[in-house]
Amino acid sequence: CSIETANDETLFFNKEDGSLDYGFEIVSHPFTMDYFRANKARFHKRIKTALKHGFRSHDVKTCGMHIHVSKDALSNLDIFKIVHFMYSNVDFIKIISNRTWGQLQQWCSLDINALISGMSDPSQKVERICKVAKRKGGTPKYVGLNLAKDKTIEFRIFRGTLNWSTYQKNIQFVDALINWIKSTSLEEIQSDFAILSFMNFLCKNQTNYNHLILFIFNKFYAFDVRDKKTPPLRNIFKHFDLLSMMNNKQLMKKRSI
């Protein structure tokens, strides 16, 4: 499998990773979202090759999917918005990530205290978060959003996957989050209904975020009444009628791509 994936070195290369008990890490060279959409077959082929050789990702404890975004595309305010949204909506991000709470704590903490450890003065805490957003201070490695790298911010939240739909969902979430925060005020992102604002953005751009929308529907809206279990974050999502806004024919058609 390592040899087969290495045959496409213009896009992928393999490397060792100290977090893995066994196996290797597949790393892509930088690419744009437009490139991904136009060349999905190349990415899908890597997944099918791994599956063919019996490799696993989701079902082991050490695998994750990390997505980098160039800092050149983000202002200080953009990064602050991302930090605020992710660390203020941990329950939502946890479900999007497909990880367990234990996995989040071990590999990609979303605990805001990881950024402000050792600080008791509220003004110091705010200053610390602002410095992180302004790229003047590093972050610990095992956090959900790693800002310590010189050129990129790293989304570390996602559980490893060899499921093609989930793989696309993860990439779509990062792309959607970036585009949403750029078009949304800080006041709205700091509000109690920031998630609903994000959902509204997704529904206005369903073609681009089909796998993400279907994932959210299945996690937060679809349930068996016989189970008598309330869907997660029902107090938030009951205010957003996703079903009436979904273009089901278009979503299901695009899901196979």
Side-chain angles (χ1 to χ4, degrees):
C1 180
S2 177
I3 294 175
E4 287 190 50
T5 56
N7 287 336
D8 196 358
E9 291 181 347
T10 58
L11 184 57
F12 300 97
F13 62 94
N14 302 328
K15 59 179 288 189
E16 294 182 357
D17 187 283
S19 301
L20 298 175
D21 297 326
Y22 178 77
F24 56 91
E25 180 179 7
I26 302 174
V27 184
S28 76
H29 294 291
F31 59 86
T32 65
M33 193 64 187
D34 286 341
Y35 179 88
F36 175 74
R37 292 187 180 115
N39 295 273
K40 286 185 177 182
R42 296 182 70 183
F43 294 86
H44 195 189
K45 182 180 178 181
R46 302 285 76 73
I47 290 178
K48 290 189 290 188
T49 298
L51 289 170
K52 181 180 72 174
H53 288 277
F55 277 79
R56 295 185 299 162
S57 184
H58 178 275
D59 297 325
V60 297
K61 298 179 180 180
T62 55
C63 288
M65 179 175 173
H66 300 172
I67 299 175
H68 291 253
V69 176
S70 172
K71 286 182 176 178
D72 290 340
L74 302 167
S75 68
N76 294 333
L77 179 59
D78 290 338
I79 296 176
F80 185 86
K81 288 178 179 178
I82 294 168
V83 171
H84 191 282
F85 179 75
M86 289 185 62
Y87 283 85
S88 298
N89 297 283
V90 176
D91 290 338
F92 176 66
I93 298 299
K94 181 261 180 185
I95 293 176
I96 292 293
S97 76
N98 261 350
R99 290 189 185 266
T100 66
W101 285 116
Q103 290 171 338
L104 285 175
Q105 187 61 36
Q106 181 177 5
W107 300 110
C108 47
S109 174
L110 287 169
D111 182 1
I112 192 66
N113 291 318
L115 296 180
I116 56 176
S117 59
M119 300 178 180
S120 57
D121 187 336
S123 62
Q124 287 183 328
K125 295 180 180 180
V126 172
E127 182 181 359
R128 167 61 174 164
I129 296 174
C130 288
K131 282 185 176 181
V132 168
K134 292 179 180 178
R135 293 164 267 183
K136 293 181 180 178
T139 54
K141 178 179 180 180
Y142 293 117
V143 292
L145 189 65
N146 181 9
L147 307 177
K149 295 182 179 297
D150 292 334
K151 301 294 185 180
T152 66
I153 64 171
E154 178 188 20
F155 291 80
R156 298 174 48 86
I157 58 174
F158 302 109
R159 187 169 183 164
T161 184
L162 292 175
N163 180 292
W164 178 227
S165 180
T166 303
Y167 184 92
Q168 293 181 83
K169 178 268 295 181
N170 294 347
I171 294 175
Q172 288 180 2
F173 173 76
V174 173
D175 183 69
L177 180 61
I178 297 299
N179 286 314
W180 172 67
I181 61 100
K182 282 182 170 293
S183 61
T184 305
S185 69
L186 179 59
E187 180 181 9
E188 189 169 336
I189 291 171
Q190 291 177 319
S191 73
D192 292 338
F193 293 98
I195 293 175
L196 302 187
S197 172
F198 180 64
M199 290 297 303
N200 190 55
F201 172 84
L202 293 181
C203 288
K204 290 180 179 178
N205 298 275
Q206 293 188 43
T207 302
N208 290 334
Y209 305 122
N210 53 319
H211 291 273
L212 176 58
I213 291 172
L214 288 169
F215 175 87
I216 289 174
F217 179 79
N218 287 330
K219 290 293 184 180
F220 296 102
Y221 291 88
F223 62 97
D224 189 335
V225 294
R226 293 171 297 181
D227 291 340
K228 298 181 179 180
K229 292 182 180 179
T230 303
L233 299 180
R234 184 60 182 164
N235 60 319
I236 294 176
F237 284 96
K238 68 181 181 181
H239 299 290
F240 193 88
D241 187 1
L242 177 59
L243 184 60
S244 68
M245 300 180 70
M246 289 172 64
N247 185 332
N248 294 322
K249 184 176 180 181
Q250 182 183 53
L251 287 173
M252 296 308 296
K253 179 180 179 181
K254 291 290 184 179
R255 191 178 187 185
S256 63
I257 299 176

